[in-house]
Amino acid sequence: MKQPILGAFEPPSRNKHMLGALQSVHVPMRKFREDEEVDYVIVGVGSAGGVLLQRLARAGFNVVGLEAGPFWDTESDWVSDEAGSHKLYWEDTRVTGGTDPLALGANNCGKGVGGGSVHWAAFTPRLHPSDFNVYTRDGLGADWPMPYGELLPYYEQLELEMPVAGPAYYPWGHPHGYPYGPHPMGGVGNALIRGCSALNIPISIGGPVAILAGSHGDRPHCIYRGFCIQGCKVGAKASTLVTHVPDALKKGAEIRDLCMVSRVELGKEGRVTGVHYFDDEGRPHFQKSKAVIVSGYAIETPRLLLNSACPGFENGLANSSGTVGRYLMAQAGNVVLGRFNEPVRMYKAPPAHALTEEFYETDPRRDFVRGFAIQTVGPLPIAFGKQMLAAKRAWGWGLRREVMDYNHWASFGLLGEILPWADNRVTLANEVDRFGLPVAHV
């Protein structure tokens, strides 16, 4: 064969931005002037911001996305290395506290185009109908202002867009199937299947995960290399970086990376006029806009709104109720590990590719409301070593022996929910970041 199947290999080019093994975008993109009033500025081009950027550009609006992190080139910026992937995470200074403080840092939030969807595990189960009226059912938490049925068509639409691979029949919540076929089982999935089957616990296999089991468009299928939460260089895992951003740019949107938004500006009539931001060298800028969408996830969104306090809005923007930053909800995710005589190699599959939600709903025989799911997880060796350090107090040669045994271990996650409480909140700390902006206090 004189030519590779996909054509001759090309040398690196400044005019091509790789997003996975096959997909690329051409730069430079469309540029709006700062004194040109655009229709929308989106603060944060992550899981939600990336989709909004595409939808608004498709509708013909002039839209600019401002992102604090870089616009990733997956070939030149990402590495197949657990320790070398920390730049994907939002690890800027934050202050945590309270009686049971959250651990912040790695894998909490993303920093870069695609946001947390770049390093999520791509686990995509739907909420159950019962999640929408927890207070009515159980007397705790809060009811949603909409029923499950109103969200259903959007679940179905995004499951096609990402797309989601999973079983043809998923029995829990509102029973349904997935549009693309399931993944083959890895060793850790087989371990969960054997355990659940022995106990007569129903189990779902092969997903749901937003990772391609077969090629789709200009994205190749998963090759089961294990680096799902370190950035998928292959492009098989869905992130808005590869699923929505390329189309947004083709439709005329602009993304400005390495731009930290400091404040949303209000005009005399109480309407936004644009946003102030700093570039990576600390130079201040102002982008005029008719509307601003703040899409910075659960910590940076309230931080920006609180930092945008001004006369008439002394407690921050959109905060007349005092609710901004309150009701922060995390996820309980205890991990159980077990050693098997035969090799498991838990990295050789999507981390979450088998699960059971048999214990998801409230059970009056238990002493707590709501429930939990059990799923496979696939920590890589460094994360596994930290778990051994915590669980077995292994250190030195003892820790090295445990890590050398890595391929014989299987890891399962017990996923629970934290109900909304007003005192779980984000406020502003006295500490400031490199731009002089008060950081988040969680």
Side-chain angles (χ1 to χ4, degrees), residues 68 89-97 102-111 119 260 296-304 328 426-433 437-442:
Y89 310 138
W90 188 291
E91 293 192 318
D92 295 15
T93 299
R94 287 168 170 167
V95 179
T96 186
L102 289 177
L104 302 177
N107 220 30
N108 282 120
C109 306
K111 189 173 185 181
H119 62 75
M260 181 65 185
Y297 202 38
I299 295 179
E300 291 305 310
T301 289
R303 179 192 175 197
L304 176 58
L328 180 67
V426 177
T427 59
L428 297 179
N430 295 324
E431 291 82 356
V432 298
D433 64 11
L437 304 174
V439 302
H441 182 198
V442 181

Side-chain angles (χ1 to χ4, degrees), residues 133-289:
N133 52 11
V134 170
Y135 184 79
T136 298
R137 286 171 174 264
D138 298 313
L140 291 173
D143 289 347
W144 281 52
M146 67 180 76
Y148 171 86
E150 285 191 34
L151 205 58
L152 176 59
Y154 300 99
Y155 272 131
E156 295 171 338
Q157 183 177 4
L158 263 296
E159 287 165 357
L160 285 169
E161 285 186 23
M162 290 194 283
V164 173
Y169 181 74
Y170 192 82
W172 299 288
H174 175 252
H176 58 281
Y178 288 94
Y180 290 83
H183 286 267
M185 282 297 93
V188 65
N190 285 328
L192 185 61
I193 290 170
R194 291 196 301 269
C196 287
S197 298
L199 297 171
N200 294 317
I201 298 172
I203 187 169
S204 173
I205 61 175
V209 289
I211 300 173
L212 297 178
S215 298
H216 177 77
D218 53 4
R219 291 169 53 206
H221 59 77
C222 180
I223 60 173
Y224 307 109
R225 56 194 291 273
F227 288 93
C228 298
I229 63 173
Q230 284 75 31
C232 178
K233 284 178 70 73
V234 175
K237 188 186 76 171
S239 70
T240 53
L241 177 69
V242 300
T243 57
H244 291 80
V245 164
D247 185 54
L249 299 182
K250 291 175 184 176
K251 297 300 188 295
E254 179 190 354
I255 293 176
R256 296 178 196 164
D257 64 338
L258 301 173
C259 291
M260 181 65 185
V261 176
S262 57
R263 185 161 57 90
V264 178
E265 182 71 22
L266 289 190
K268 295 180 180 179
E269 298 180 357
R271 298 282 298 178
V272 297
T273 58
V275 296
H276 298 267
Y277 68 94
F278 293 98
D279 63 27
D280 195 41
E281 296 180 2
R283 294 173 299 207
H285 299 264
F286 179 76
Q287 175 61 54
K288 297 177 65 176
S289 180

